[in-house]
Amino acid sequence: MVTIKDVAKVAGVSIATVSRVIHDGHQVGEACRARVKKVIAELGYRPNSNARALVSKTTNTLGVVTPKLSMPFFGSLASGVEKGARENNYKLLMSNSLYETKSEQEAIDSLRDHNCQAIILHSEYSDEKTLLKLAKEIPGLVLINRYMPAIANRCVWLDNVAGARTATDYLINRGHKNFAVITSIYQNGDPGFRLQGIRESLKLAGLQLSEAAIEESTANMEGGEQAVQALLNKGIQFTALLAYNDLMAIGAIHALFAAGLRVPEDVSVIGFDDLIVSRACRPRLTTMHYPVEEMASYATKLAIQLSDTSIEPESRTHLFIPQLVERDSVADAPRS
Amino acid sequence: MVTIKDVAKVAGVSIATVSRVIHDGHQVGEACRARVKKVIAELGYRPNSNARALVSKTTNTLGVVTPKLSMPFFGSLASGVEKGARENNYKLLMSNSLYETKSEQEAIDSLRDHNCQAIILHSEYSDEKTLLKLAKEIPGLVLINRYMPAIANRCVWLDNVAGARTATDYLINRGHKNFAVITSIYQNGDPGFRLQGIRESLKLAGLQLSEAAIEESTANMEGGEQAVQALLNKGIQFTALLAYNDLMAIGAIHALFAAGLRVPEDVSVIGFDDLIVSRACRPRLTTMHYPVEEMASYATKLAIQLSDTSIEPESRTHLFIPQLVERDSVADAPRS
DNA sequence: TTGAAAGCGCTAACAC
DNA sequence: GTGTTAGCGCTTTCAA
């Protein structure tokens, strides 16, 4: 490993001078700078970032904590963070929380040991108190996909209620009157907000949504399938189905076809998230676009900005609005 | 920030003693150890990993370089690495190469600056010379999804040829005689091997595969669609279609249905990779399972092992075999 | 414009 | 058992 000393020795200068030319210091003579640069190139010298971090206390390192990278949604989130990090010349430290409060905490601690200046956290289960405490301790902490009024300027989140309302209104405008909903058994966070949006829109339109027409299951394809089967078994009549997310919507489509119903001719189905799978099913899924990757890059830049405590943080909110993506799983309500 | 000095002062011992109890040193008195531990807990002391890395030259940090995290395949890869890292108590540094040789190199360099001891690299475009040089310099470097005989014991790869043969043989055994193939325009790496496997099996079975029945396109859904349209436009007759990967297979299914052909009744389609999308399409895709996540964890453990140069590396090969996953997109050849 | 030197937080000899 | 001390590679005063 070639160190700053080696460079200094070969170039015949002091290590201070080498350090200066690395930092583009203008207080170095032309000839000297050129010589040092040449030696650096020849030796292939690269500053040791640990040493640098130790003395300067600035690591240019950013951490992300997400539940599980193998889920496409979080892959996109990570990708957005990576983009933001790269553009700002930051390194990216990554840790999965596996949906557990304990490993989430461990993940965060480990990032702090590394002097991460900025942290992007996707937390569903940690309670507000923990998060608030964390936010106080780490200036560069940004929450993604969660909103807490007390630290509003450090939350990058999606208006799930508005998204669900857009989806519901769209179905209403297409003439649908009989709705069913499949959602997650865990109603805290996103699922709860989306259900709320659905309820609001339906109520405003004077439409009924009986509790029996709301089926809870796991938030994946299998869950979607089971939920629809349950709905069908109960004899619920519906021409429009709102799913908590794309995966459930796709499971629903499978179950619907299996039951001899056509999508969208008999039943219109709408998803939420706009994952890549939504273009894989047939019919292609109409859904609400969740701009995760964009939000993640945004959150990254925000976190980096906030980590510089010399800058007064703006007290603004960072809210994104999901957009409807029309594909082929929704049609006008059939004339009955 | 609380340092080892603070702990020493409060506990009334020297920093060396604190360091010893941290490292579970058995050369510390019972009472003393207990007291130090108590102080550590009270103060919430956590060792600074940069300082630690600087002096001990061991960072317990592992890096991954993949093209793009938002692609489900790489998300799974990253997830597997994360698992391996977590299990070995390593931190994970992540960098996207975006399919460019230049940023791939930058990504690797940045990992080296951080004293990563182990690196998992998914490289498609770097040439062998570069890779070989890198491997020589970094003992803990492991290549995933690429095989180079010179460093066979540091490659974790998939037998694409065998996988393609399995897929092809399966179709042959189902009575198919008229084959078509859709593959990537880039034939280096995976696509080339898979095509080779197809050719081998077909030849062995005495079946023809005209060049016209092989259509190249981009390796995604759109590409799959276009390729099938091109095949159809050319008037190619086929009852079995082998796709380079799941995404192309799904695009193919869309195009087939659009053309009034049924899958699998008229045409059987088989994919490769077994991404989550393969369960999203209808019919569900029969495909070859690529155990990325498992391979990635394996590669991670291997890299960590190799990075410890005191251990003699085994000179074995790390080859994984894809398995057939039967779902609903393949049927017996129709009687003509 | 350049160099000497202090010190970031920690580990690991080496003393006692 | 426990303390003292010399660095790890670097940045950053402070002098010259």
Side-chain angles (χ1 to χ4, degrees), chain A residues 14 16-17 20 27-29 54-55 57:
Chain A
S14 75
T17 300
R20 281 188 198 107
Q27 28 209 28
V28 184
L54 182 57
V55 42
K57 265 132 183 53

Side-chain angles (χ1 to χ4, degrees), chain A:
Chain A
M1 182 188 180
V2 24
T3 74
I4 199 171
K5 273 188 191 169
D6 302 322
V7 176
K9 198 182 298 172
V10 175
V13 296
S14 75
I15 60 167
T17 300
V18 177
S19 182
R20 281 188 198 107
V21 344
I22 290 167
H23 294 96
D24 220 29
H26 287 289
Q27 28 209 28
V28 184
E30 262 315 323
C32 183
R33 167 149 71 253
R35 188 151 35 94
V36 172
K37 277 195 169 167
K38 189 158 153 277
V39 174
I40 287 178
E42 279 171 9
L43 265 47
Y45 166 71
R46 312 211 84 216
N48 177 318
S49 40
N50 292 117
R52 208 173 237 189
L54 182 57
V55 42
S56 66
K57 265 132 183 53
T58 147
T59 52
N60 274 26
T61 300
L62 182 147
V64 221
V65 180
T66 58
K68 189 130 181 44
L69 235 27
S70 56
M71 299 176 64
F73 181 85
F74 296 114
S76 294
L77 196 160
S79 189
V81 173
E82 203 276 344
K83 180 161 170 281
R86 190 155 21 79
E87 287 174 358
N88 285 279
N89 212 14
Y90 268 58
K91 274 100 204 167
L92 213 211
L93 225 33
M94 173 149 294
S95 214
N96 283 357
S97 64
L98 305 173
Y99 289 112
E100 293 167 24
T101 311
K102 183 163 155 283
S103 31
E104 183 173 304
Q105 195 54 53
E106 280 171 10
I108 295 169
D109 286 343
S110 130
L111 293 180
R112 297 179 70 184
D113 295 349
H114 273 262
N115 276 332
C116 272
Q117 307 177 273
I119 294 182
I120 312 292
L121 175 61
H122 184 289
S123 171
E124 283 172 44
Y125 299 114
S126 287
D127 54 60
E128 301 222 343
K129 213 180 116 205
T130 310
L131 258 20
L132 239 32
K133 181 160 166 281
L134 223 49
K136 202 157 291 172
E137 291 170 5
I138 311 169
L141 177 81
V142 164
L143 259 36
I144 190 164
N145 196 26
R146 181 153 173 173
Y147 176 67
M148 288 170 57
I151 47 169
N153 63 328
R154 297 164 68 178
C155 297
V156 174
W157 55 296
L158 187 80
D159 195 334
N160 281 292
V161 177
R165 293 202 49 167
T166 303
T168 313
D169 291 345
Y170 174 64
L171 257 11
I172 293 172
N173 288 335
R174 293 283 228 138
H176 290 276
K177 300 205 161 12
N178 299 308
F179 286 80
V181 175
I182 54 179
T183 183
S184 167
I185 18 173
Y186 301 106
Q187 280 291 307
N188 56 334
D190 297 357
F193 291 123
R194 294 183 190 173
L195 186 52
Q196 180 192 330
I198 294 170
R199 286 200 155 109
E200 286 179 10
S201 274
L202 253 22
K203 193 171 178 191
L204 236 63
L207 261 18
Q208 285 292 329
L209 180 68
S210 70
E211 286 307 306
I214 302 175
E215 189 66 35
E216 297 182 347
S217 189
T218 50
N220 54 26
M221 279 191 227
E222 290 70 36
E225 256 183 281
Q226 287 159 13
V228 164
Q229 281 158 5
L231 246 20
L232 261 21
N233 288 342
K234 283 190 286 189
I236 306 288
Q237 301 284 331
F238 57 96
T239 65
L241 179 67
L242 288 144
Y244 160 58
N245 65 12
D246 289 347
L247 261 18
M248 290 193 86
I250 289 167
I253 291 176
H254 287 317
L256 255 8
F257 272 96
L261 291 162
R262 294 162 304 161
V263 177
E265 294 82 353
D266 301 319
V267 178
S268 287
V269 176
I270 197 162
F272 206 117
D273 284 349
D274 194 23
L275 301 181
I276 196 170
V277 285
S278 63
R279 292 182 296 124
C281 64
R282 193 163 48 83
R284 296 179 211 230
L285 192 64
T286 291
T287 188
M288 299 303 304
H289 179 65
Y290 193 139
V292 225
E293 202 158 340
E294 185 190 341
M295 284 170 67
S297 300
Y298 180 94
T300 304
K301 280 163 202 160
L302 178 63
I304 290 174
Q305 199 178 303
L306 288 169
S307 71
D308 182 351
T309 46
S310 68
I311 298 173
E312 183 71 18
E314 302 174 55
S315 67
R316 53 163 300 201
T317 178
H318 312 281
L319 176 63
F320 285 70
I321 310 288
Q323 302 291 331
L324 178 72
V325 181
E326 292 192 67
R327 284 197 275 255
D328 315 318
S329 65
V330 171
D332 291 338
R335 301 162 173 272
S336 51

